[in-house]
Amino acid sequence: MAPARRHCGGWEMFLPTGCLLLSVLLLQPALAKVCNDRTKHGQDNSWFARDGENLPIMVLMPMNESALMSSISQGIEPAVQLAIQHIRESRKYSFSLITKIYDTECDNAKGLRAFFDAICYGPKHLMIFGGVCPSVTSIIAESLEGWNLVQLSFAATTPVLADKKKYPNFFRTVPSDNAVNPAVVKFLSYYNWSRVGTLTQDVQRFSEVRNDLTNELEKADIQIADTESFSNDPCVNVKKLKDNDVRIIIGQFDENLASKVFCCAYNLNMFGSKYQWIIPGWYQGNWWEQANTTNCTTKKLLTAMEGYISVDFEPLSARQIKGISGRTPKEYEREYSRELQQKGVEASKFHGFAYDGIWVIAKTFTRVMELLRIKQRQNTYHNFTVDDREVGKMVLDVMNETNFYGVTGQVMFRNGERMGTIKFNQFQEGQEVKVGEYNAIADVLDLINNSIQFQGVEPPKDRTFVRLQRRHINVPLYSILSTITILGMLMAGAFLFFNIKNRNHRLIKMSSPYMNNLIILGGMLSYASIFLFGLDGGFVSDKEFETLCTVRTWILIVGYTTAFGAMFAKTWRVHAIFKNVKMKKKIIKDQKLLIIVGGMLLIDLCILICWQIVDPLKRTVEEYSLEADPQGRDIAIRPFLEHCENTHMTIWLGIVYAYKGLLMLFGCFLAWETRNVSIPALNDSKYIGMSVYNVGIMCIIGAAVSFLTRDQPNVHFCVNYLIITTFFITMRTNPDAATQNRRLKFTQNQKKEDSKTSTSVTSVNQANTSRLDSLQTDNHRLRMRITELDKELEEVTMQLQDTPEKTPYIKQNHYPDTNNILSIRNFTDGKDGEKSILKNHLEQKPQAQWGSMDPSRINRGPLEDINSPEHIQRRLSLQLPILHHAYLPSIGGVDASCTSPNGSPGSSPRHRHMPPSYRVMVSGL
């Protein structure tokens, strides 16, 4: 031993394992010569042939009270002696087991020296029993193959010893720390927990368990959300687990750091119904009081610990079945307790595994002896010998075949590892309560009914379950706005019906009924898009939603262009006629206006088709941040909203907005140019300006508000509704034939006169009904007379147009008597005195006024007679009727020649004074 220590020098204290292994390798040949020669074939190998033979067993464990883990050994010795006693009493075994305890003191050097002393100076041991301290056990177990010995441990749980390449001759009756991992995975699968996190102390023992657990979790397809390791302060790592939304936490740490972990958990509120902790179950009783080095009180620790699950091997089987010793686990435990009382030592949690281990050795020796005796009988030379290597191999084979029921359950090995029973305890109200067990041999988890008490009404979730919740338009809101939309469409339909039914009416014809119909249809299309804007994925599928995106865009754009295009087209016709300075007869029929509107729609279709082919609208989903469940459930709500978008949305919207903007500017230009047209039925400039202003302002404001509220579908839908509704209401406020017929007569003066007539008639009706009838008859007759005169004057004017002379422009104020002729209309609807004057004027001097000539001008020439003041006065009086009757044919209206005296008074033309800019123009008369 001394040379080896000198060889290691000063590094022995830092590298004890390496130096001791080196000592084993260097001293093994010398020991083979000095110590009992264990490799010599055939020496003292007749032990298997004699009955009543004492078979020595080397027992290695720390016995010194000052040594680490010595308390385990002190409680083991009574169990070993009890097992040997029970084997002797069973009378089934032809040998006696003799145990020789060697104190390793849980020190590598001392443990190795004790092993060498047993080899050199002790009897020839057939097996080694023991191994408590992991470091000492691993050193000795690594050298067993060279000594042809097999070691059986009852307390070494370190996973390192499971490496059969490095420790081929090592067995243990106690399950390793890794044995709990299949049980943990089974427990996780039972509660459908598929997402966990690990918190591991930076110690090899725990790191080995975590690595094996990781493999087991991967096999079970359980996600490891986060893996944290710590040395001293676990709070940072615990917080990371919380930040990663880890709900099921598997801990691997000793009891000294367990108190720190649960203190951090308490401070971070990681306990209760949302969390489940799973920790080792081999801590000492009341460990939270003994190992509490934190600033948390015991009450806080108990609060955080409530409900944790601990996992550890089962020290004694819960099944009261008589095993190989003929005793149930309870019966054995009572005997063991008596032995402890007699010797005055504390119990060890490994006593059952030591008891079963002695039975394993006894059964192994029995089977090996049988095999050797069989071989001896088969040997014909009667000089049968067996060496230690062959005996060691036979012991290995027999050990792997071990299978019996002991006090710790079914004893069975798989690659030297005990397939035992794992128990589950839960910390409930300050104490651990058994809630189930796992049988590794049958791979069955058995939980005691209603024993597990979770903090909530159900087991914790393994993650924050996120429930996607669609943000949709409120159904009552959608219903209300849809109802209003339907009423608006019905109103538009009524306007359309009125326009079609009265399309031959003079005022309706003057207002271009076909264009009005297009305006109404465009508004109805725009209104129809409101229904589509309120639909989302809650009503239609994803594919149908994409189709909906395209359809509602097309309907809105086409409806907008149809309505505004028709309104601007009819305004353009007014502009083209009244800006004709040469006063030539210009005919612009509705067919041409339809072509203009069709051209505008064609541009729309080109843009929409290119949009659809190059970059169609797709359904996109925008998800928002998590929100708490309003009902308090353990879930999180992630709102999402569906949008209609594409890759180059800004570009396409810019093209559409630019085109519609140009259309609006064109409408503004036409409104400005036709602002001085004095015929109310034709002058829409005021209403076009209102339309452009309202729609423009609402589009600008609505686009901004719509962008800012795109995550609020109710507000977004209301904004879209207001924009479209404003557009349609603006279209309705533009005077069409229906509103004109209620609001307008042909001139402003006539409106006043009709009002006066209505007032007069009302008062006369109250006085004398017969007088009112008489006045109405006179009024009707005079209107028919005026119609006849208009026709005669127009015929005379048409005859004069054939005269080749050209008449210069004449100002009205050169002939003040002209107003007397133009004021003839004032007499038709005036009072009684005025009517009588007009009547006398028409009856007494008709011939002198229209049918005869002054004798002084009989001999004048034709040209001089045409330019006479009388002719000029007549032409001035005919200016407005000519302009009026010239405009009607240009729009497909009623020709002046179609006017009949038999028509109703309401259908006769009503003349009003034109503004000076139109009254002074006399051309070609």
Side-chain angles (χ1 to χ4, degrees):
M1 298 295 290
R5 291 180 181 176
R6 286 196 298 270
H7 178 78
C8 292
W11 293 94
E12 183 178 3
M13 61 182 296
F14 300 104
L15 300 172
T17 303
C19 292
L20 290 173
L21 286 175
L22 183 60
S23 300
V24 172
L25 296 177
L26 292 176
L27 295 179
Q28 185 171 343
L31 289 173
K33 295 180 180 179
V34 176
C35 301
N36 294 330
D37 189 0
R38 299 186 57 83
T39 61
K40 185 175 181 179
H41 302 289
Q43 181 179 350
D44 194 22
N45 281 332
S46 60
W47 57 271
F48 60 86
R50 299 188 296 268
D51 292 335
E53 187 78 11
N54 293 327
L55 301 181
I57 301 174
M58 182 192 306
V59 180
L60 298 176
M61 56 185 180
M63 298 300 296
N64 193 331
E65 294 182 0
S66 63
L68 184 67
M69 302 179 72
S70 60
S71 59
I72 296 177
S73 302
Q74 293 174 2
I76 291 297
E77 186 179 3
V80 172
Q81 297 302 325
L82 194 61
I84 294 175
Q85 176 185 344
H86 291 166
I87 290 173
R88 188 182 304 115
E89 292 174 355
S90 66
R91 301 182 181 277
K92 295 180 180 180
Y93 301 93
S94 61
F95 54 85
S96 297
L97 296 178
I98 304 299
T99 59
K100 176 65 175 177
I101 299 177
Y102 296 89
D103 187 7
T104 63
E105 299 185 37
C106 212
D107 180 81
N108 292 344
K110 294 179 180 179
L112 191 58
R113 183 182 181 88
F115 173 69
F116 287 157
D117 289 344
I119 294 293
C120 292
Y121 309 113
K124 184 177 180 180
H125 302 93
L126 298 179
M127 284 188 67
I128 299 176
F129 185 65
V132 177
C133 303
S135 60
V136 177
T137 305
S138 61
I139 292 173
I140 297 175
E142 192 172 359
S143 63
L144 292 176
E145 188 175 10
W147 298 102
N148 297 317
L149 290 173
V150 175
Q151 182 178 1
L152 178 64
S153 175
F154 53 82
T157 61
T158 175
V160 176
L161 295 172
D163 186 0
K164 288 294 122 181
K165 292 182 179 180
K166 194 173 182 180
Y167 311 102
N169 289 29
F170 179 81
F171 289 78
R172 50 186 165 190
T173 55
V174 61
S176 72
D177 293 336
N178 285 346
V180 302
N181 291 334
V184 170
V185 172
K186 199 75 173 180
F187 186 77
L188 296 175
S189 301
Y190 181 85
Y191 287 104
N192 296 320
W193 290 331
S194 59
R195 185 177 183 272
V196 300
T198 61
L199 182 64
T200 309
Q201 183 181 350
D202 279 335
V203 177
Q204 182 182 6
R205 175 186 181 183
F206 299 119
S207 299
E208 291 286 342
V209 176
R210 181 196 60 196
N211 295 337
D212 182 75
L213 177 62
T214 300
N215 295 331
E216 294 290 337
L217 291 174
E218 290 178 353
K219 292 178 183 178
D221 197 23
I222 296 177
Q223 176 191 359
I224 302 177
D226 191 14
T227 300
E228 296 293 332
S229 299
F230 67 95
S231 297
N232 187 29
D233 185 8
C235 290
V236 175
N237 306 94
V238 173
K239 187 177 186 306
K240 288 182 179 179
L241 292 173
K242 182 177 183 180
D243 294 339
N244 290 326
D245 192 35
V246 176
R247 301 288 196 89
I248 312 300
I249 305 169
I250 303 174
Q252 293 291 339
F253 36 77
D254 58 33
E255 59 262 39
N256 294 320
L257 290 177
S259 59
K260 293 184 178 181
V261 170
F262 282 104
C263 182
C264 297
Y266 180 85
N267 294 331
L268 293 171
N269 199 30
M270 293 181 64
F271 62 92
S273 61
K274 294 184 178 180
Y275 293 91
Q276 181 61 61
W277 290 83
I278 301 176
I279 62 175
W282 42 261
Y283 298 164
Q284 298 297 322
N286 297 332
W287 58 266
W288 56 90
E289 295 179 353
Q290 301 173 9
N292 186 6
T293 59
T294 67
N295 55 1
C296 290
T297 62
T298 302
K299 182 178 181 181
K300 291 182 179 179
L301 285 180
L302 292 175
T303 301
M305 292 162 50
E306 184 68 25
Y308 76 68
I309 299 293
S310 63
V311 187
D312 194 16
F313 55 81
E314 184 76 86
L316 289 176
S317 175
R319 297 182 179 182
Q320 299 305 313
I321 300 175
K322 290 185 177 182
I324 190 172
S325 65
R327 294 167 176 81
T328 64
K330 284 290 186 182
E331 293 173 348
Y332 156 75
E333 189 175 19
R334 284 194 295 267
E335 293 185 33
Y336 173 72
S337 299
R338 286 196 299 267
E339 292 291 328
L340 291 178
Q341 291 177 359
Q342 293 176 2
K343 296 185 177 181
V345 295
E346 294 183 358
S348 171
K349 64 180 295 186
F350 298 99
H351 68 88
F353 299 102
Y355 180 85
D356 284 344
I358 297 298
W359 282 96
V360 170
I361 293 175
K363 286 185 66 66
T364 300
F365 284 170
T366 302
R367 179 59 179 163
V368 170
M369 293 174 66
E370 291 176 356
L371 293 176
L372 290 175
R373 289 174 181 177
I374 292 173
K375 283 190 175 184
Q376 185 180 27
R377 287 194 298 268
Q378 293 175 352
N379 188 350
T380 57
Y381 297 101
H382 302 289
N383 58 350
F384 175 75
T385 60
V386 58
D387 59 11
D388 296 334
R389 183 174 301 172
E390 186 175 359
V391 172
K393 186 177 183 305
M394 293 179 68
V395 172
L396 279 176
D397 295 338
V398 172
M399 288 278 288
N400 282 318
E401 295 175 357
T402 301
N403 189 356
F404 65 86
Y405 199 88
V407 296
T408 59
Q410 189 171 1
V411 181
M412 182 178 179
F413 299 104
R414 183 176 298 170
N415 293 326
E417 294 296 305
R418 169 71 186 274
M419 304 296 293
T421 302
I422 307 300
K423 69 173 180 177
F424 290 87
N425 290 344
Q426 187 181 35
F427 190 76
Q428 299 176 2
E429 299 179 355
Q431 61 181 355
E432 289 192 352
V433 178
K434 184 178 178 180
V435 295
E437 64 180 28
Y438 169 76
N439 189 330
I441 298 176
D443 190 25
V444 174
L445 176 66
D446 184 17
L447 296 178
I448 302 174
N449 294 333
N450 302 322
S451 59
I452 296 183
Q453 298 177 4
F454 293 108
Q455 301 300 298
V457 295
E458 59 182 359
K461 304 282 193 305
D462 61 359
R463 71 198 73 189
T464 299
F465 279 94
V466 178
R467 176 172 297 177
L468 292 176
Q469 187 177 77
R470 178 183 286 104
R471 286 185 176 177
H472 56 81
I473 298 171
N474 189 270
V475 176
L477 176 64
Y478 180 75
S479 302
I480 293 172
L481 297 184
S482 298
T483 302
I484 299 175
T485 302
I486 293 174
L487 294 177
M489 295 184 71
L490 292 176
M491 186 183 299
F495 290 159
L496 182 63
F497 173 77
F498 181 85
N499 228 29
I500 294 175
K501 183 178 181 181
N502 299 280
R503 62 185 179 276
N504 294 323
H505 196 279
R506 174 186 293 274
L507 295 179
I508 294 180
K509 279 198 172 185
M510 289 182 64
S511 65
S512 303
Y514 293 110
M515 295 297 102
N516 292 336
N517 293 343
L518 286 180
I519 293 174
I520 296 174
L521 291 175
M524 295 178 70
L525 279 177
S526 301
Y527 249 159
S529 66
I530 293 177
F531 299 106
L532 304 182
F533 276 105
L535 298 177
D536 54 24
F539 298 95
V540 296
S541 63
D542 295 347
K543 187 175 182 180
E544 292 172 345
F545 184 81
E546 288 189 357
T547 305
L548 203 64
C549 292
T550 303
V551 171
R552 69 188 188 187
T553 302
W554 282 54
I555 289 178
L556 182 59
I557 291 177
V558 170
Y560 178 92
T561 302
T562 302
F564 272 97
M567 183 174 66
F568 295 158
K570 61 185 265 187
T571 306
W572 170 81
R573 176 162 63 184
V574 175
H575 170 266
I577 293 175
F578 281 89
K579 288 301 178 179
N580 181 18
V581 296
K582 296 183 180 180
M583 293 302 295
K584 292 183 178 179
K585 190 173 183 181
K586 190 171 184 178
I587 299 177
I588 302 177
K589 295 189 176 181
D590 288 342
Q591 289 80 352
K592 189 171 184 178
L593 301 185
L594 292 174
I595 293 175
I596 295 174
V597 177
M600 295 178 182
L601 291 175
L602 183 62
I603 297 175
D604 270 339
L605 292 178
C606 291
I607 295 174
L608 291 173
I609 292 174
C610 293
W611 189 350
Q612 182 65 23
I613 294 175
V614 177
D615 192 14
L617 289 171
K618 299 291 185 180
R619 173 185 177 269
T620 60
V621 177
E622 182 180 4
E623 295 185 353
Y624 301 91
S625 58
L626 294 176
E627 299 176 357
D629 180 52
Q631 300 179 3
R633 295 172 296 179
D634 186 20
I635 60 174
I637 304 297
R638 184 180 295 280
F640 74 93
L641 192 59
E642 297 167 308
H643 299 291
C644 296
E645 294 179 349
N646 53 13
T647 307
H648 305 288
M649 190 72 174
T650 305
I651 297 176
W652 293 107
L653 289 179
I655 294 173
V656 173
Y657 289 160
Y659 171 53
K660 302 304 177 187
L662 291 176
L663 187 62
M664 300 285 281
L665 291 176
F666 177 64
C668 292
F669 168 75
L670 293 177
W672 178 260
E673 288 292 308
T674 59
R675 68 189 183 281
N676 290 326
V677 175
S678 60
I679 303 176
L682 305 176
N683 189 354
D684 292 342
S685 60
K686 173 183 176 183
Y687 302 100
I688 292 176
M690 291 173 55
S691 300
V692 173
Y693 177 80
N694 292 339
V695 174
I697 293 298
M698 286 302 299
C699 286
I700 294 173
I701 297 177
V705 175
S706 179
F707 177 78
L708 295 176
T709 61
R710 70 194 306 265
D711 59 339
Q712 303 177 33
N714 289 325
V715 179
H716 190 74
F717 179 61
C718 289
V719 170
N720 290 335
Y721 175 82
L722 289 176
I723 294 174
I724 298 174
T725 305
T726 301
F727 157 69
F728 192 49
I729 291 177
T730 303
M731 291 294 99
R732 293 209 309 268
T733 57
N734 185 22
D736 55 10
T739 57
Q740 288 177 32
N741 193 44
R742 297 192 305 266
R743 178 175 73 82
L744 289 177
K745 297 303 176 182
F746 201 63
T747 65
Q748 188 67 21
N749 291 335
Q750 186 60 39
K751 284 173 59 179
K752 295 180 180 179
E753 293 169 5
D754 288 345
S755 178
K756 293 178 180 179
T757 303
S758 177
T759 304
S760 176
V761 168
T762 302
S763 61
V764 171
N765 186 39
Q766 295 175 356
N768 192 341
T769 304
S770 61
R771 177 176 175 80
L772 176 61
D773 295 338
S774 175
L775 291 174
Q776 289 178 345
T777 303
D778 293 341
N779 192 4
H780 179 68
R781 183 171 54 81
L782 291 175
R783 287 177 183 271
M784 292 185 5
R785 180 58 181 166
I786 290 173
T787 302
E788 294 174 0
L789 293 176
D790 284 344
K791 184 176 180 181
E792 293 175 2
L793 289 174
E794 187 172 355
E795 291 175 355
V796 173
T797 302
M798 298 302 292
Q799 293 175 5
L800 292 176
Q801 285 179 353
D802 297 334
T803 306
E805 81 280 4
K806 296 182 179 179
T807 305
Y809 289 95
I810 303 172
K811 295 184 178 179
Q812 182 182 6
N813 55 10
H814 289 178
Y815 300 94
D817 293 338
T818 304
N819 291 328
N820 296 330
I821 301 176
L822 295 177
S823 62
I824 189 173
R825 168 60 64 188
N826 295 332
F827 290 95
T828 59
D829 295 325
K831 296 180 180 180
D832 296 339
E834 295 172 348
K835 292 179 181 180
S836 61
I837 294 172
L838 179 60
K839 181 177 181 181
N840 295 333
H841 176 74
L842 292 174
E843 292 178 354
Q844 295 176 7
K845 299 182 179 180
Q847 198 66 26
Q849 186 174 355
W850 305 105
S852 64
M853 261 188 199
D854 191 345
S856 63
R857 290 183 290 171
I858 295 176
N859 297 326
R860 295 181 184 180
L863 183 59
E864 183 180 359
D865 185 70
I866 290 173
N867 292 328
S868 64
E870 290 83 357
H871 281 280
I872 292 175
Q873 291 175 0
R874 295 192 190 108
R875 287 198 294 274
L876 290 174
S877 66
L878 293 173
Q879 178 182 5
L880 182 59
I882 293 172
L883 289 174
H884 170 58
H885 288 284
Y887 173 74
L888 286 176
S890 66
I891 62 172
V894 181
D895 195 285
S897 60
C898 297
T899 305
S900 173
N902 297 326
S904 64
S907 63
S908 61
R910 299 179 180 181
H911 305 256
R912 65 172 293 179
H913 297 294
M914 300 291 290
S917 59
Y918 292 105
R919 282 206 304 262
V920 300
M921 185 181 295
V922 180
S923 175
L925 296 179

